[in-house]
Amino acid sequence: MSSQHLGGQAQELKTSLGNMVLFRLITFVLNAFILRFLSKEIVGVVNVRLTLLYSTTLFLAREAFRRACLSGVTQRDWSQTLNLLWLTVPLGVFWSLFLGWVWLQLLEVPDPHVVPHYATGVVLFGLSAVVELLGEPFWVLAQAHMFVKLKVIAESLSVILKSILTAFLVLWLPHWGLYIFSLAQLFYTTVLVLCYVTYFTKLLGSPESTKLQTLPVSRITDLLPNITRSGAFINWKEAKLTWSFFKQSFLKQILTEGKWTVTLNGVYDIVNNLGSLVARLIFQPIEESFYIFFAKVLEREKDATLQKQEDVAVAAAVLESLLKLALLAGLTITVFGFAYSQLALDIYGGAMLSSGSGPVLLRSYCFYVLLLAINGVTECFTFAAMSKEEVDRYNFVMLALSSSFLVLSYLLTRWCGSVGFILANCFNMGIRITQSLCFIHRYYRRSPHRPLAGLRLSPVLLGAFALGGGVTAVSEVFLCCEQGWPARLAHIAVGAFCLGATLGTAFLTETKLIRFLRTQLGVPRRTDKMT
């Protein structure tokens, strides 16, 4: 069973990564195009203020429900689970109204002459979050039954259409300002929900479909709220687990998105959006896919020694490989991002970003991405394996951490500006990683498996990273970035050579990870092709 789940999640991850990278790059190019037509103040408000409102509303309304309803349960009444998921809609309405009031009344409102239509933007971004929550029962049902292509197609189509609409409005109606991004965001969520509703309507309307045999519903109306045979509207055990995850999600959102507590400049807003691109492209799909895998394979209320040892062993092997992958990806971004931050900002936004504090901010963010990568993997396992009582205890730690993080963010930001806020985030991630590593160590303490070995790299590979970082740093001094494009291309060539040498070293030294990737992503060995 664990191998089947692993194969399904690997297939989802492979499909998701390929499509998400392609379509996110299209969005990335369009965003770079938009940046040259609108002021950085408007782009900054959209990328941080309004996007934060949207993401916070969604996170607080649905994250706890997703974690609880996707946990591995052999016997589940899906009618009760779907009823529980529909509660995300009224919860989303509450959070959108409350946070909208906070954004308009408590937080600093941008100058209406510089950023017009801010209030309308707050209303429409909050409304778009509520619209997206209407598709939550469909999303969870699709994830639980591994409908891989549905998620990829729905999200990719929505992103492409949103980007095209945004670019069109920027070209023809640039004076609309925030109206452009607000309407595009509402359009995105509407298309996303319609994709899921249309798919399940057609699927449940075709009796010959083989997928109907695995689904717990037979009509589209079964997905709507209804009273179950037992008379209970929801499963209270599932609801209590949701409440525990909700408390955790609330504190986690403060720790992850605490930028509203301090005043940051528009350059930080853009660098934050650019620096988090890799996290959204690679790390987020990995975390989402393998949280579902761990939640299905492991049982929350049992010690590792009391579960099926085959499942425990597979989970340990997967966790070890994911940790190694996250560490390698994060180190690559940190080491090579240091020497190419200024060039990347210059290509993305011109002198507005590449001069001043932009390069220092992006270099700091590259190190933060390393911690993000490791934290994503450790927490996806930790939250999937914790019992309800352990989640509640963890919440107390998160409460203390959130208080210290807010104080540290304020002090470091006053001391060294936007870089201080990134350093506070690094401190936050370091503490969270430590908590998760302690849990993983305790979880496997009585078993022969040691998944934390994935955080150890060979000395040869560490030497390759150090050499590559040193060579590219020297190259930046002599070739970048005010000596014209020939020198820049030479700097890029040096980086490409060093990156290739480092990845080649990783390929030769990390053979266990390579075997894991080949097995899960379906890449045959060269000898297999020849036979």
Side-chain angles (χ1 to χ4, degrees), residues 153 190 241 284 297 472:
I153 292 175
T190 303
L241 182 60
Q284 185 178 353
V297 169
T472 52

Side-chain angles (χ1 to χ4, degrees), residues 246-266:
F246 172 77
K247 291 181 288 185
Q248 184 187 92
S249 300
F250 184 82
L251 297 171
K252 182 179 177 181
Q253 187 68 2
I254 294 177
L255 292 171
T256 305
E257 301 288 2
K259 60 178 76 72
W260 54 270
T261 61
V262 293
T263 302
L264 302 171
N265 57 46

Side-chain angles (χ1 to χ4, degrees), residues 131-135 158 188-198:
V131 170
E132 186 167 340
L133 290 171
L134 292 173
S158 304
Y188 161 80
T189 57
T190 303
V191 172
L192 184 64
V193 172
L194 286 177
C195 286
Y196 280 96
V197 174
T198 302

Side-chain angles (χ1 to χ4, degrees), residues 187-230:
F187 178 70
Y188 161 80
T189 57
T190 303
V191 172
L192 184 64
V193 172
L194 286 177
C195 286
Y196 280 96
V197 174
T198 302
Y199 178 84
F200 276 103
T201 301
K202 290 187 176 181
L203 177 66
L204 297 174
S206 55
E208 67 277 4
S209 176
T210 57
K211 290 185 177 181
L212 283 178
Q213 300 174 1
T214 62
L215 285 177
V217 294
S218 57
R219 301 184 304 260
I220 192 66
T221 54
D222 293 340
L223 288 163
L224 299 176
N226 61 83
I227 301 298
T228 62
R229 297 171 184 169
S230 62

Side-chain angles (χ1 to χ4, degrees), residues 342-385:
Q342 185 176 358
L343 180 59
L345 289 173
D346 191 67
I347 294 174
Y348 184 68
M352 179 188 75
L353 296 181
S354 61
S355 60
S357 62
V360 177
L361 285 173
L362 188 55
R363 287 172 185 140
S364 304
Y365 208 99
C366 286
F367 176 69
Y368 178 52
V369 168
L370 168 62
L371 299 179
L372 275 176
I374 298 174
N375 181 72
V377 172
T378 55
E379 283 196 346
C380 88
F381 176 88
T382 300
F383 296 155

